[in-house]
Structure formats: structure tokens, C-alpha cells
Amino acid sequence: MRIRRFRWTLALSLSVLAVSTMASAQQPNIGIAPIGLGAGPYLFDTAEQHGIRVDVVVRGLAHPFSFAFLPNGDALIVERGANVRMVKSATGDARLVPEPVAGAPAPAGFRGGGLHDIAIHPEFATNNFVYFTYNAPGPPDPTSTPPGRRPVAVTLARARFDGVALNDAEDLFVGEMLPGSSGSRIAFAPNGYVFMTTGAPFNDSAQRLDNVYGKVLRLTLDGGIPADNPFVGQPGARGEIYTLGHRDQLGLAVDPVSGAVVAAEHGPNGGDEVNLILPGRNYGWPEYSYGRTYEGPRHSRVPLGPDTEQ
């Protein structure tokens, strides 16, 4: 009886498999076909846009993270955590200069350290100022996990670019040392200030005013604190803070006409945001998020709470 039942079950299973295989063979290919990467240019489609063309400008960059066009059509490109590179005629017959630009901070050599963003001063044509951000390393910490982890301090710096090298580099603003940090972005406002993003993806720093992490900062062009920043004069608060409650902000733009500030914020697992940055506002992280933890559960019971910005 058992043998007969086994044979019947096996026959049924093979029949289902045969039908499934036939159906699969007759099923047309669905979705968007991948493109083969070659010399370029590439034409491809997405679910939202079609006929997108990508032209390769330069090759041979390691983790290109940010770039700034110069008035003459050249460009400076940051290789994240490492070097500043020069692209001659970036808007035309582009050519990557083989050697890194001299005068930048030394490559960090560890995760989270080193260079991030780069931008030219609005009056670069007359002052040759280039601004950049980096995570400055501290000494190895023997008590960290793992032992010897390097703490970092988010830093805004400025140098003069002579077309070949960065000269007279100086740190304009330096944050607190902490065991680890994320990326940072900078953007100039038309009223003579510079905005800077900082991250706080893994702790509650973003909700505290005693540190500059998980914030949008607003600084003068010399790295000072504007007198009308929202937390100036509040006991225990860093005066550089413009907004708080941010996780990992890796995009920043200022409308040159209206002055509106917009930041792109990455959630932990989903929950990405595009935020209109308004002075003194709290954007929720880590108390509220649309994202999930890396293990899968929702990060917070509700995505938005009282006194937080949507």
C-alpha cells in the first residue's frame, strides 16, 4: 500500500513538474533586459523612463563621490576617503590627469575616514577658494570594538586652487571626535553662508543638541556661527546646528533664486527622504522613520511623531 501511494505521489509530482516546465518554456521574457557594458555610450530603459543615454566621460576613478566644475570647464573629483582628482576639459574632450591633486588631506586608509565633498566658492574666479569636507582621524582607540578603531571628526576645510594643487589648506570647522561617522555634503547659499550635512546613523546623536552629528549645519564662509542660527545662545547647544534628527544625508542643494535648502537622507532599510530644510526643525531620526532595521522589523512603531517634520 505504501509503495502504491508513493508511486502515485511521484507520478503526480512529475506531472506537475512537466506542466510547469512547459509553461515556463512558453512564458515570454518579461521585464527590462540588462545592457552589456562596453566602451559606451549606453542606451537603456527603466520602469519609469525610456531611451536614457549615458556617455562615459572618464574612467579609472576609485569610488568617485563628488565633483565640482571649475569656470574653465575642468572639474575636481573626490575619490571617497582618498584623493582629489583633476579632469581636464570635463565638459568637452575630457581627460583624467594621472596624478592626484596635491595639497588635499592624506588618504584615510580606513572605513569612514578621509575626503567626502568638494565645492568651489561662489567667487572662485577672484579668490580661487575650494571648500571640502573630510573625516579627520584621531589616534587608534585600544578600548574600541574592534580594538584600534580610529575615531574621526567631521571637518570643513578651505584651500586655494592654482590649477594644479590645493594650497594653504585650513580647517574652518571641526566637529567632535566619535568612533565612526558617515558622509557629509556642502552647498553655498546666496546670502553668504554655507550649509553642511552630517550623519548619525547608529545612535541617538541626531536628537541631541550637544553635538553636530545627524544635523544640517549653517556656517559663515569662514566657518563661524551665524548670529541668527536657531539654537544660538541655548545652554548646552552647538550654535552651528540649523536642523536636527537626520540619519545619513548624502545629497544637498540650495536654490540660487529662492534660497530653499533641500537635502536627501538615506534611511536604514527603506525610508529614504527628501527634506525641505527649515530652521530649528526636527526631522525625527532615530525616534521616527519610514524605514526598517537591517534585520527586517520596522524601525519605529509609527513613521512620524509630534514636533517632527514630514
Side-chain angles (χ1 to χ4, degrees):
M1 189 69 176
R2 291 180 179 176
I3 295 176
R4 187 178 303 168
R5 183 178 300 151
F6 171 76
R7 288 175 176 171
W8 182 87
T9 303
L10 177 62
L12 180 61
S13 299
L14 291 175
S15 299
V16 172
L17 177 63
V19 172
S20 300
T21 303
M22 292 174 58
S24 299
Q26 298 172 359
Q27 177 69 36
N29 291 328
I30 60 174
I32 298 171
I35 61 171
L37 301 182
Y42 311 122
L43 287 173
F44 67 96
D45 298 311
T46 71
E48 291 80 23
Q49 298 290 332
H50 303 284
I52 298 173
R53 173 176 170 140
V54 175
D55 290 281
V56 178
V57 178
V58 291
R59 299 177 184 272
L61 292 163
H63 301 291
F65 189 70
S66 58
F67 66 91
F69 284 110
L70 301 174
N72 64 356
D74 295 342
L76 297 174
I77 297 179
V78 165
E79 295 176 311
R80 188 187 65 219
N83 300 302
V84 177
R85 304 294 301 275
M86 177 79 165
V87 177
K88 303 292 290 185
S89 302
T91 57
D93 186 15
R95 177 178 61 86
L96 179 65
V97 176
E99 296 299 321
V101 173
F110 64 94
R111 180 177 178 178
L115 284 163
H116 283 109
D117 206 9
I118 193 166
I120 65 170
H121 189 284
E123 299 176 6
F124 175 85
T126 57
N127 61 27
N128 298 117
F129 278 146
V130 171
Y131 286 65
F132 54 91
T133 66
Y134 70 106
N135 285 340
D141 181 4
T143 65
S144 66
T145 304
R149 186 176 182 181
R150 302 284 295 273
V152 295
V154 67
T155 303
L156 173 68
R158 179 176 68 188
R160 293 185 186 274
F161 184 63
D162 62 7
V164 178
L166 295 168
N167 302 291
D168 306 319
E170 59 176 330
D171 293 341
L172 302 177
F173 161 80
V174 180
E176 303 88 357
M177 280 282 175
L178 77 169
S181 184
S182 58
S184 52
R185 295 292 190 188
I186 48 176
F188 292 98
N191 55 3
Y193 297 110
V194 58
F195 286 89
M196 177 177 175
T197 69
T198 65
F202 301 119
N203 56 38
D204 65 347
S205 296
Q207 287 296 318
R208 303 201 318 264
L209 295 175
D210 62 352
N211 71 90
V212 299
Y213 294 98
K215 315 295 194 303
V216 174
L217 310 178
R218 180 174 177 249
L219 306 165
T220 69
L221 296 179
D222 293 325
I225 300 174
D228 60 345
N229 272 6
F231 300 103
V232 168
Q234 181 170 323
R238 292 289 302 252
E240 300 93 343
I241 297 172
Y242 196 71
T243 62
L244 67 152
H246 301 285
R247 185 180 186 273
D248 208 0
Q249 302 176 97
L250 298 180
L252 182 66
V254 179
D255 187 296
V257 177
S258 69
V261 182
V262 179
E265 181 175 333
H266 293 194
N269 187 1
D272 294 349
E273 302 173 4
V274 176
N275 289 318
L276 177 64
I277 301 301
L278 301 173
R281 306 295 178 86
N282 186 337
Y283 292 78
W285 179 262
E287 295 180 356
Y288 302 101
S289 172
Y290 281 91
R292 297 176 181 268
T293 68
Y294 290 120
E295 294 76 21
R298 294 193 179 277
H299 185 83
S300 58
R301 186 178 61 84
V302 293
L304 192 67
D307 301 320
T308 58
E309 290 298 309
Q310 173 70 282

